[in-house]
């Protein structure tokens, strides 16, 4: 019985978090709209089209392996959508994606891989690293937690355990005084997190979105699903933009945007189309695959400006 009551109380607290009207910036960057990953080996296939004067299309396979807190990545670029080994144009491997994002000097590259790390692994560290390199410190959710509400929820959990769920007599949510009860219920309905000063609901492209203002960068997320939609980054020398649209469940469980648009520091434009997503248990080390692919004759070291 106590276990059941504890589960009910835990569900109550989680539900309270889920329906808080204003999201936190840390929560938005954790890609909460996506389901948990069914495996530790992620493969994303994409077509990247340059929209500049010299139009070209590259076919890219990103393979990410999750090992504890570490994410490694193998990036293979092909000349053809069949993505055969004989069509390999470029191959690069990084045993620690987060470290590479932190080291990268080109902002469009650290932005792109930070967002891709967020969308594919549900981890915020990559995009946080991009922001931190540009002087932005993310406000952690625990620092804006509504402690008064949490104390109320903990007291209610204790009540459920002690009363064994038999009634509301003595419940902290049901005081006898009507005015006190009204205040308690208002507190219960209040946001679990205090409103962050840099998060607001705005109308963009005829749609309401959550805007997070980090001064040098602005992030946009859908109102209800909290899906990543865009990030604009600007300095005195450059303006970079990455947009995402048309989210689909590619493997029936996990979602990715079907389309992304990239504008790099030089103003060049790229259209990215996600062709497939596969998530499973790793059957081969990425480093071993890299050693095989890098033996392909005629490899090039040139890629799109926002790719490693």
């Amino acid at each position: 019985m106590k276990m059941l009551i504890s589960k009910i109380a835990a569900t109550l607290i989680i539900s309270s978090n889920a329906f808080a009207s204003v999201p936190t910036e840390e929560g938005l960057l954790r890609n909460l709209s996506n389901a948990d990953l069914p495996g530790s080996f992620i493969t994303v296939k994409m077509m990247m089209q340059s929209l500049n004067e010299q139009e070209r299309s590259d076919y890219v396979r990103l393979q990410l392996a999750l090992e504890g807190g570490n994410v490694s990545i193998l990036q293979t670029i092909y000349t053809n959508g069949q993505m055969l080994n004989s069509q390999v144009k470029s191959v690069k491997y990084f045993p620690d994606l987060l470290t590479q994002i932190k080291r990268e000097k080109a902002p469009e590259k650290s932005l792109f891989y930070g967002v891709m790390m967020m969308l594919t692994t549900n981890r915020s560290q990559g995009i946080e690293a991009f922001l931190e390199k540009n002087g932005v410190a993310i406000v952690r959710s625990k620092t804006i937690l509504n402690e008064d509400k949490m104390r109320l929820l903990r007291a209610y959990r204790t009540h459920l355990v002690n009363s064994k769920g038999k009634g509301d007599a003595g419940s902290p949510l049901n005081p006898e005084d009507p005015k006190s009860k009204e205040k308690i219920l208002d507190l219960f309905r209040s946001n679990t997190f205090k409103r962050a000063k840099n998060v607001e609901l705005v109308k963009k492209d005829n749609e309401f979105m959550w805007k997070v203002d980090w001064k040098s960068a602005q992030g946009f997320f859908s109102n209800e699903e909290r899906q990543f939609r865009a990030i604009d980054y600007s300095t005195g020398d450059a303006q970079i933009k990455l947009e995402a649209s048309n989210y689909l469940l590619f493997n029936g469980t996990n979602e990715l945007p079907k389309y992304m648009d990239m504008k790099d520091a030089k103003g060049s434009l790229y259209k990215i189309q996600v062709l497939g997503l596969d998530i499973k248990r790793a059957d081969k080390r990425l480093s071993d695959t890299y050693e095989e692919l890098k033996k392909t004759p005629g490899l090039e070291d040139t890629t799109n400006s926002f790719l490693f």
Side-chain angles (χ1 to χ4, degrees):
M1 175 64 73
K2 285 188 176 181
M3 183 176 293
L4 176 61
I5 294 172
S6 296
K7 287 183 178 180
I8 294 173
T11 301
L12 180 65
I13 295 174
I14 292 171
S15 299
S16 176
N17 286 339
F19 290 99
S21 59
V22 181
T24 67
E25 53 186 300
E26 184 181 9
L28 290 172
L29 295 179
R30 289 185 175 178
N31 197 30
L32 297 179
S33 64
N34 195 23
D36 292 338
L37 305 180
S40 60
F41 192 82
I42 306 164
T43 300
V44 182
K45 295 180 180 180
M46 299 178 289
M47 180 181 71
M48 298 185 174
Q49 182 181 14
S50 169
L51 303 181
N52 307 321
E53 294 181 1
Q54 297 180 345
E55 291 190 6
R56 73 173 191 276
S57 295
D58 288 322
Y59 295 88
V60 181
R61 175 157 50 197
L62 296 180
Q63 295 171 284
L64 301 96
L66 312 182
E67 297 179 358
N70 183 65
V71 180
S72 57
I73 184 171
L74 176 64
Q75 172 183 289
T76 311
I77 301 180
Y78 300 84
T79 57
N80 191 286
Q82 293 175 299
M83 297 189 181
L84 302 176
N85 285 355
S86 59
Q87 300 166 341
V88 174
K89 177 181 178 181
S90 170
V91 59
K92 295 182 180 180
Y93 169 68
F94 301 97
D96 189 337
L97 176 58
L98 181 58
T99 296
Q100 184 63 25
I101 292 174
K102 292 178 178 179
R103 290 175 177 173
E104 178 57 53
K105 295 182 180 179
E108 57 260 55
K109 294 183 180 181
S110 55
L111 170 60
F112 176 74
Y113 288 96
V115 169
M116 287 304 298
M117 184 175 176
M118 173 181 68
L119 293 176
T120 56
T121 70
N122 300 339
R123 300 186 183 192
S124 62
Q125 293 95 327
I127 190 66
E128 287 182 17
F130 164 77
L131 293 169
E132 288 172 0
K133 287 199 301 182
N134 294 284
V136 177
I138 297 297
V139 177
R140 300 296 174 187
S141 298
K142 64 181 180 180
T143 65
I144 55 174
L145 191 64
N146 187 338
E147 292 293 349
D148 290 336
K149 179 173 182 177
M150 293 309 297
R151 277 193 290 270
L152 175 62
L153 292 175
R154 286 192 290 267
Y156 183 56
R157 178 183 182 280
T158 300
H159 164 74
L160 288 176
V161 172
N162 292 337
S163 67
K164 299 181 180 181
K166 293 182 178 180
D168 290 334
S171 167
L173 295 183
N174 190 35
E176 295 181 0
D177 180 50
K179 291 185 178 179
S180 297
K181 184 173 183 177
E182 184 178 352
K183 290 181 179 180
I184 288 295
L185 293 180
D186 286 342
L187 178 59
F188 178 75
R189 288 190 289 260
S190 67
N191 292 330
T192 303
F193 296 96
K194 298 176 183 178
R195 180 160 187 159
K197 296 180 180 179
N198 63 333
V199 179
E200 64 174 333
L201 191 64
V202 300
K203 195 169 186 179
K204 184 177 186 292
D205 300 329
N206 295 319
E207 180 183 1
F208 283 104
M209 297 186 190
W210 290 106
K211 176 184 177 182
V212 189
D213 189 354
W214 293 299
K215 303 303 180 184
S216 60
Q218 290 79 45
F220 296 88
F221 301 81
S222 65
N223 178 20
E224 295 184 3
E225 300 87 355
R226 289 10 182 195
Q227 292 170 334
F228 167 78
R229 291 297 184 84
I231 187 167
D232 297 317
Y233 168 73
S234 61
T235 65
D237 301 322
Q239 289 187 332
I240 301 166
K241 187 171 186 177
L242 180 61
E243 295 181 298
S245 60
N246 196 9
Y247 277 75
L248 298 175
L249 294 175
F250 280 90
N251 64 344
T253 303
N254 301 98
E255 64 180 20
L256 277 180
K258 184 177 181 180
Y259 299 108
M260 288 184 281
D261 297 291
M262 183 77 184
K263 177 182 178 183
D264 68 13
K266 295 182 179 180
S268 299
L269 302 176
Y270 300 86
K271 171 72 73 175
I272 305 164
Q273 181 178 348
V274 176
L275 304 175
L277 169 68
D278 181 52
I279 304 176
K280 61 182 181 181
R281 292 185 177 182
D283 53 7
K284 192 174 184 179
R285 293 173 61 89
L286 287 183
S287 57
D288 293 337
T289 304
Y290 171 66
E291 291 298 326
E292 295 175 5
L293 290 177
K294 74 177 185 179
K295 297 176 183 177
T296 306
L299 292 181
E300 302 178 14
D301 194 34
T302 57
T303 60
N304 294 303
S305 65
F306 56 92
L307 293 178
F308 288 147

